[in-house]
Each structure stands twice: as C-alpha cells, then as structure tokens.
Amino acid sequence: MKGSLQRDIFGGLAVVAVGGAFALGAGHLQIGTVTKMGGGYFPLGAAVLTILFGVAIMLRAVVADRAARPDNTIGGVGLRNRVAWRAALAILGAVIMFAVGLTYLGFIPAVFACALFSAFADKASHPLETLVLAGVTACGSWAVFVYGLDIAAPAFVWGF
Amino acid sequence: MGEILDGFTVAFHLNNIAFCFFGVLMGTFMGVLPGIGSVAAVSMLLPISYHLDPTSALIMLAGVYYGSEYGGATASILLNLPGTPTHAVTCLDGYPMAKNGRAGVALFIAAIASFFGGTTGILILMGLTPAVIALALAFGPAEYLLVICFGLVAAATIAQGSPLKGLAMVMVGILVGLIGIDINTGIARFDLGFFQLFDGVSLVALAMGLFGISEIIASAGQSQGTRPNRVTLASMLPTREDVRQSIMPAVRGAAIGSLFGPLPGTGAAISAFFSYAVEKRVSRKPERFGTGIVEGIAGPEASNNAATQTSFIPTLALGIPGTASIAILLGALMVHGVVPGPRLMTEHSDLFWAVVASFWIGNVLLVILNIPLIGVWVRILMIPRRILFPVIMCLICIGTFSVANSVFDVWLLCTIGFAGYVMRLLAFEPAPLLLGFVLGPMLEENFRRAMLLSRGEILPLFLNPVGLVLMGIAVAALILVLVPKICARRSAADCS
C-alpha cells in the first residue's frame, strides 16, 4: 500500500506544481473582471482549480492509505522497481539524438542515430543487426520523406 | 438525398478511394502493432494529410482512425496485448480462444461483428447528424460551454483510470492549451520567451509524446512476451453454432456502441466494457465468459466500431471531439481552414457527405482487407520488437519535425515524452489531457462570451435547458456505467 501512497503524493504534488507555475505566470497578465476578462483571468482560474485537484489527489491518497493500513501490510511495489530505466534513456536519448543530428549533421545521420539509440532499449539487440537496421532506416526514410514527400531537411550538413 | 449521392460520387473518385484505402491499411497496421494506439496512428499520418485537400485529408485520417480501432482486436486475440485501449475487453475471451486453437474464428467473428457495428453506426450517423445540427444551430456560447464541460468531465471520470486524476489531467491539458498568443488580447501567454510557442504547443508533438513515446518506453521495457502462431485462412471459418451465438451479442453491442458513441468524452472504450458486462448478464451460462466464447468477442467488437462511427456525430455536428483521436482529426481540419461546427454541414456539405460516404467504403474495405490479410498481420506481429521499435521511433521523430519543419518541436517531443512516461508511472491517464488541450481554447472563448452575455451571472448557466438535459444524461450514464465497470475492471485485471 505504501508504494501507491508515495506514488499518489508525488502525483498530486506534480499537479500542484504545474498549477502553481501557471498561476505565477498568470500574475504577469492582466486579470480584469468577469465581464471584461483580461488575458490572465481564465488561466488564473484554471491554475487555481488545478492546484485544488492536486491537493485533493494527495488528500485522497492519505485517506485511502489510513483506511487500508490495518489489513494491508504487504509493501506496495515501489516506484523505482517499475521504472524501465534502460528503455526510457534509450528512447528519450533517441529523440535527443534526432534533434541534435538534424541541427548539426543532417537528416540521414539524424535518423541513423535515432534508430541506433532506440535499439538500445531492447536488451536482445545485436550490434551488427542494429547497425544494418539503422542504415536501412536512414536511407529509406530519406527516400520516402525528403525525396518523395519534399520535407525540407538537408541530407548531410556540417553545422558546427 | 441528392447530397448523399453527390457525396458518394466524390468519395468514389479514384484518388479518394486510394486515400481511404491507404488510411484504412495504415490504420489497421498500426492498430495491430501493440504500443501504437489509434491516437498515435492518427498523429503519425497527420503530417501527410497537410499536403492534401481537406476532403481527402479527412477521408484518410478517418480511415486511419477506425482502421486502427479495427486492427487493435488482432493483437488482443493473438497476444493478449490490446492494440488499442478499447480492445482490452477483447483479450478476455479472444486470447483464451486463441489458446484453444480457435484464433482464426475469433479474428473472423471480430471482423464481421466490427463491420456490422460500423454499418449500424454509420446509419445512425447519417440519420442523427442533421437533427443534432438543427439543434446545435440554436446553441449559444452558454450551451457550448456546458457541452464542452460535460465532455471533459465525462472523459475524465467515465473512462479509464481514477476520476480525480482524470479531472486533474483535463485541467493540466487546458493550461497547456493556453500556451501561445491569446486571440482576444493579442498577448503571448506562457511562452517562456520562445517565439516558436506563439502558435501554441504542437498537437502532434503532444500526442506523440504522451501516447507514442511513453507507450513505447513501457513496452520496450518489458520482455518480448508470447509470439503468435500461424493462422490459416481455412481455420478462420466459424461453425454454424458460432454464427448463431454471435448474432444477438453483435446486435446488442451495436446498440450500446451507438448509444455511448455520440456522448462526447465517453466513446468506444466504455461501450466495449459495457457490452461485455451486458452479455455476461444476459447469457444463460455466464460462467463460460473468460474461457473463450464468441459472445465475448462479438458484442464488444460490434459496440466498439459502432461507437467509433457515431463518435463523429458531436464532432461533425458541434465541432466538439469525443475522443483524443478525433480531437487530432479536428486539429487537422482547422489547419485546412475548415471550421468544424454546425455550419460545417451547410458551408461544406460536399465535404461532410463525402466523408460519410467514405465511412461506408472504409468499412467495406476493412472487411475485405482483414480477412485475407490476417496472415500478414500475424507475420508482422512476429517481427521482434527490437527491429520494429527503432523504425517506429524514427517515424515519430520525422513526423513531429515535418509538421512545421521545426527542430524545436522535436525538443518539445522529447520533453513531453519524458513527462508522458512520468505520468504513466504515476498512474495518470493521458487522454483527458489531450482533450483538455484541444478543448481548452474553445472553453475559454465560450466562457468569455457567455459571461459577457449574462453580464457576469453564473446562475443562468445552471438553469439552462441544455445544461439540465446534459446533467440528466451524465447522471444516467454514471449510474449505468459505474456498476458494470467495477465488475468488468475486476475481470479485466486478469487480462492486463
């Protein structure tokens, strides 16, 4: 049970944080009145509501945990165990590689790097197979998207 | 009547049929792949649609949408992995049927039931939409405000996940939707100094980040799982008994789907759960459910497709999307300069009827495609994920970039993908966020106008007839849905 309490407190806090950030941002804008709304009226209202929901989530988690504790002493699965670290790093890294590659190296290297990094997500990937796959994907995507669909991206660039 | 025929004429143009076919094929393909739901499928093909004219674009994207809803059944039956969230229920009896060696029959019944459900849905769409539009023309900002709120609350609370968290997600979505230049005041809001955010967060980046990337991270993190066995064409033919047992569930399923589909925010997922629960309750031998019987597939699949088709009613008539995938479709329409809403049918009646006609064509294509191509889909499911996922990731990145030729959008994709995965870990559903994002600006606009008209009084909103009707529907839906949903969730927990 404890795992889910932790998770929901985090979750509620995250929601409160998002709401708070937008509320702060709305402070720079004109609020106005109900009939003559400024740019900040609706955002502020929405942000406040968001914060309230975040608090409600946290409260509910605490209440649910208090209610369940007498019976349920089995420890919940902690957040750490269920996070797919390798997959997350590989996939997000792949997107980053694509962005960086596109800016500094061109379309084909970007796709190549993206495919390469994504393959790391799976433990069963073989290096040679991955290289071939990345190469084929890079050239294939160039053919379909840049050559075929006229997407404006140079194939190779030296953008440093 | 003449307009319907005109619509068919346009829909039968060779290139529109080609786009319909392409959309349905790609949609089914992506629906078959576990890890890509219909939202991701529609977002991935969205950039391509920008190059087409509005009619063809909508025909193609709609094809992707209901194609992916169709294809999701395949992975559910063969791999016990729902290809789209709405197919979680199909796992319950589909997978046991596959284990009993009756995968072919399960797939066939799913295809036919889906076709039946889809056809029913289209008929209702054709009949009801003009009526809803007539009603909607009398709508003012207060009525729109109420309908949008209803849709958002329904999406947050009735569908999957914790209602409270769903509502929080809707609010976050609305906030994210506010990023950009405010039309009314001309000031840029929440842009953090990035000029690229003046037009708001990219819809494709948001959709792909929330749904595609987080789903792929989660799937890639798990071990490969079971591989499907080969399915031959001959093994697909059902026995007479199977057919007899499937008829009534399919009819009931189509009715349920047509009922839930038009309600903005509810949609296909809940109707599938509901249909399964109804079948279990109506059956003379409810204990057989879960062991692999056709009633458990025919009902949910029919209701799924009926709901998918009828969910276009609020979209086309009111301009209010019922599900996240349709929200993206609407986004595509707006990019083409076609403003969805009650005037769509009068101003763009050719578009409207051509699209509806294409639904017919699409449904037929789906049946024709899926029965012979079943072997192909099974082969594709056998491709190891380590090969499939890198290709999909590249497509996602390229697609996101290509919308505005902007590397900024790719960075957005990365950030949103990270946030999406964190959300998933914290058990937050992404669909309400996307709906809040798309509907947020509409909500603000109508709220502003409504307050202007009522001079700041909020009370008239609650006494509004439309509001009262919607409240009535909401309460009835909640009652009808919560009870069987709790039962279905308990049994669905064994599936996932």
Side-chain angles (χ1 to χ4, degrees):
Chain A
M1 223 50 223
K2 189 158 184 238
S4 127
L5 171 70
Q6 218 178 20
R7 179 194 72 185
D8 286 349
I9 298 247
F10 258 129
L13 264 174
V15 173
V16 169
V18 170
F22 274 90
L24 280 175
H28 297 296
L29 303 164
Q30 276 204 328
I31 305 291
T33 62
V34 172
T35 46
K36 245 189 146 190
M37 287 186 217
Y41 192 93
F42 193 78
L44 188 65
V48 168
L49 250 178
T50 312
I51 295 176
L52 287 175
F53 276 122
V55 171
I57 292 175
M58 287 195 281
L59 283 176
R60 183 169 166 276
V62 171
V63 166
D65 181 65
R66 286 263 165 86
R69 214 189 280 155
D71 309 78
N72 223 325
T73 46
I74 305 170
V77 179
L79 208 59
R80 297 282 133 87
N81 307 1
R82 278 185 302 134
V83 177
W85 291 108
R86 184 191 170 120
L89 283 170
I91 299 287
L92 292 174
V95 182
I96 295 176
M97 282 293 115
F98 183 78
V100 169
L102 210 55
T103 318
Y104 295 113
L105 292 169
F107 187 85
I108 294 188
V111 177
F112 185 82
C114 181
L116 210 61
F117 261 74
S118 321
F120 283 144
D122 198 315
K123 289 185 200 144
S125 44
H126 317 307
L128 191 62
E129 180 188 72
T130 308
L131 281 171
V132 172
L133 177 68
V136 169
T137 312
C139 298
S141 337
W142 183 84
V144 171
F145 289 99
V146 182
Y147 189 67
L149 288 175
D150 267 332
I151 291 182
F156 289 101
V157 152
W158 189 251
F160 292 100
Chain B
M1 196 56 208
E3 293 168 324
I4 304 180
L5 288 175
D6 282 337
F8 268 101
T9 319
V10 175
F12 268 111
H13 275 172
L14 209 57
N15 64 334
N16 280 339
I17 291 203
F19 285 124
C20 185
F21 180 78
F22 177 70
V24 163
L25 186 69
M26 293 309 299
T28 312
F29 169 61
M30 289 198 250
V32 163
L33 293 173
I36 309 237
S38 57
V39 184
V42 176
S43 327
M44 275 210 255
L45 285 164
L46 187 65
I48 300 182
S49 79
Y50 288 158
H51 300 279
L52 310 170
D53 68 276
T55 312
S56 309
L58 197 55
I59 289 179
M60 187 190 84
L61 288 177
V64 176
Y65 174 53
Y66 50 79
S68 61
E69 288 295 332
Y70 207 91
T74 311
S76 308
I77 293 173
L78 293 175
L79 294 180
N80 205 28
L81 279 177
T84 63
T86 51
H87 289 278
V89 179
T90 315
C91 292
L92 296 174
D93 268 289
Y95 189 59
M97 270 188 86
K99 282 201 285 195
N100 293 341
R102 305 231 298 153
V105 175
L107 291 165
F108 187 84
I109 298 276
I112 299 293
S114 294
F115 177 69
F116 177 72
T119 312
T120 315
I122 296 174
L123 282 171
I124 296 195
L125 173 73
M126 286 173 61
L128 269 191
T129 310
V132 177
I133 289 180
L135 190 66
L137 284 171
F139 272 20
E143 284 78 21
Y144 270 106
L145 185 68
L146 289 165
V147 175
I148 295 175
C149 281
F150 170 79
L152 287 174
V153 171
T157 53
I158 298 181
Q160 299 174 297
S162 143
L164 196 55
K165 287 184 177 175
L167 287 169
M169 283 292 100
V170 165
M171 294 313 302
V172 173
I174 292 177
L175 288 174
V176 175
L178 292 171
I179 297 177
I181 294 187
D182 174 28
I183 313 175
N184 282 283
T185 57
I187 315 172
R189 298 190 291 193
F190 306 114
D191 65 341
L192 299 172
F194 291 113
F195 71 89
Q196 298 98 328
L197 282 177
F198 280 179
D199 272 328
V201 172
S202 156
L203 177 62
V204 175
L206 188 72
M208 300 265 48
L210 284 181
F211 289 87
I213 296 215
S214 69
E215 191 59 53
I216 289 182
I217 294 178
S219 299
Q222 296 163 346
S223 49
Q224 175 82 26
T226 50
R227 302 280 212 87
N229 301 315
R230 281 196 58 219
V231 174
T232 62
L233 214 63
S235 77
M236 289 182 73
L237 289 174
T239 64
R240 190 164 293 178
E241 184 64 24
D242 292 329
V243 174
R244 202 181 54 81
Q245 283 173 335
S246 317
I247 294 181
M248 280 318 289
V251 169
R252 283 189 287 262
I256 293 171
S258 307
L259 197 66
F260 277 103
L263 296 176
T266 51
I270 210 57
S271 61
F273 269 117
F274 198 65
S275 164
Y276 191 80
V278 164
E279 289 312 312
K280 227 175 158 174
R281 211 163 273 192
V282 162
S283 163
R284 264 168 288 171
K285 289 190 233 150
E287 65 281 352
R288 293 187 313 137
F289 276 82
T291 61
I293 51 172
V294 287
E295 291 97 315
I297 299 181
E301 281 301 308
S303 84
N304 226 332
N305 262 57
T308 307
Q309 298 297 158
T310 51
S311 60
F312 277 100
I313 296 180
T315 309
L316 292 173
L318 294 173
I320 296 176
T323 63
S325 331
I326 296 199
I328 300 181
L329 270 165
L330 274 193
L333 265 184
M334 291 198 267
V335 168
H336 282 283
V338 176
V339 178
R343 275 168 290 158
L344 181 78
M345 202 163 141
T346 42
E347 281 172 17
H348 298 270
S349 66
D350 48 339
L351 173 86
F352 177 80
W353 288 112
V355 170
V356 173
S358 78
F359 288 172
W360 280 104
I361 300 177
N363 259 280
V364 172
L365 281 175
L366 276 173
V367 179
I368 298 178
L369 264 183
N370 276 292
I371 301 204
L373 282 186
I374 256 311
V376 177
W377 304 137
V378 174
R379 284 277 173 71
I380 289 177
L381 281 175
M382 291 208 242
I383 298 179
R385 281 200 313 236
R386 65 176 187 274
I387 296 186
L388 216 46
F389 280 173
V391 178
I392 295 176
M393 278 308 300
C394 291
L395 289 176
I396 291 178
C397 290
I398 297 174
T400 309
F401 168 74
S402 71
V403 172
N405 275 339
S406 151
V407 185
F408 183 80
D409 285 347
V410 183
W411 289 113
L412 263 183
L413 176 73
C414 185
T415 320
I416 296 174
F418 172 70
Y421 185 57
V422 170
M423 270 169 54
R424 178 181 246 270
L425 290 174
L426 295 174
F428 282 105
E429 288 293 316
L433 199 157
L434 194 70
L435 269 173
F437 174 77
V438 175
L439 289 175
M442 260 194 257
L443 195 67
E444 178 179 23
E445 185 66 34
N446 283 293
F447 182 65
R448 204 176 234 141
R449 287 197 204 148
M451 287 297 106
L452 208 64
L453 284 175
S454 70
R455 293 169 211 266
E457 303 282 318
I458 305 197
L459 198 59
L461 274 181
F462 294 107
L463 298 176
N464 189 296
V466 169
L468 291 171
V469 167
L470 285 176
M471 285 290 287
I473 300 179
V475 169
L478 268 173
I479 297 177
L480 277 176
V481 157
L482 275 179
V483 174
K485 191 179 154 212
I486 296 177
C487 306
R489 254 224 201 120
R490 291 234 178 89
S491 43
D494 311 321
C495 168
S496 46

